[in-house]
Amino acid sequence: WDVRRLQLVREAVGHSVEINIDANLAWTARQTIERMETFRNAGIELGYVEDPIPPDDVGGYRLLGQEMWIDVAGHDYISDHEGYRPLLDVGGIQRLRFRDDLDYAIAMSRLGEEYNLPVIGCNTLFEVGIHAAVALPSIERIEFADLGWNALPEHPVQVEDGYMFAPDRPGAGLDPKLELLEELSR
């Protein structure tokens, strides 16, 4: 089922678009390696796999670091940036992810610079992560899942042709649509 789904995605986006997957802790290290082999054998080349195993499985991350040929990105399930160090020290993560707020993004950017790893921005409320993405050199990309948050501000973050553009307004650049907030508060 996953192979077919990834084949359909490849057909839809073409070969010039990188495809990545998020396992959301669903696998063991060995299962991750087996699934990546299955995808590769089916002709599906992935850029990276995100959060394949739980963050407390340091031995599993060591195995991934030794046997995986694609990057492992993580980890959405670690709330303190220092919690990454055991996984980084065994070579189990090759791309870091920031989430939540701009202070966390700064901490993750510094960690990425320390380990010479790129950082990916997760979805952030009202897409404020774009500010970190344009300001911090270690951030290579930012995720956009179009969760509907852009409907609430008067001047939302613009997304065009796969690129996100930071607001050119003061602060976060996000003035709420007061009438919509009033309607939603009922």
Side-chain angles (χ1 to χ4, degrees):
W1 187 82
D2 284 338
V3 169
R4 183 64 187 137
R5 186 166 60 159
L6 287 169
Q7 288 170 334
L8 290 170
V9 170
R10 176 54 70 209
E11 289 172 20
V13 301
H15 290 281
S16 63
V17 174
E18 179 180 282
I19 297 176
N20 306 298
I21 61 172
D22 184 349
N24 286 314
L25 312 179
W27 305 326
T28 66
R30 184 56 53 202
Q31 288 171 326
T32 301
I33 294 164
E34 290 169 0
R35 280 174 170 75
M36 296 308 104
E37 287 174 352
T38 298
F39 299 151
R40 183 172 62 178
N41 291 339
I44 301 164
E45 295 296 329
L46 299 172
Y48 62 82
V49 58
E50 178 186 330
D51 299 337
I53 65 176
D56 60 352
D57 186 357
V58 177
Y61 275 97
R62 177 181 289 112
L63 180 64
L64 294 178
Q66 293 168 345
E67 295 194 21
M68 288 282 284
W69 54 95
I70 67 168
D71 287 352
V72 175
H75 206 286
D76 289 354
Y77 301 91
I78 298 175
S79 59
D80 175 14
H81 68 280
E82 289 297 322
Y84 279 82
R85 287 191 188 279
L87 308 181
L88 295 169
D89 290 342
V90 299
I93 291 182
Q94 295 77 40
R95 297 185 194 203
L96 299 170
R97 291 175 47 83
F98 78 79
R99 58 184 182 82
D100 296 329
D101 60 38
L102 298 179
D103 289 333
Y104 193 80
I106 292 168
M108 292 305 295
S109 178
R110 290 180 179 149
L111 195 60
E113 290 170 4
E114 180 182 339
Y115 282 85
N116 196 31
L117 297 175
V119 179
I120 301 167
C122 298
N123 291 307
T124 53
L125 185 61
F126 299 114
E127 313 307 338
V128 297
I130 187 59
H131 293 287
V134 298
L136 301 168
S138 64
I139 298 177
E140 72 165 7
R141 66 181 72 186
I142 188 165
E143 187 175 72
F144 177 67
D146 199 7
L147 299 175
W149 295 324
N150 265 352
L152 297 174
E154 288 286 345
H155 306 282
V157 168
Q158 297 299 306
V159 180
E160 298 173 19
D161 297 325
Y163 292 92
M164 187 180 289
F165 298 91
D168 60 358
R169 305 172 59 77
L174 303 170
D175 303 317
K177 291 180 183 174
L178 297 178
E179 68 280 359
L180 187 55
L181 289 179
E182 185 177 319
E183 180 183 325
L184 294 172
S185 67
R186 290 186 200 141

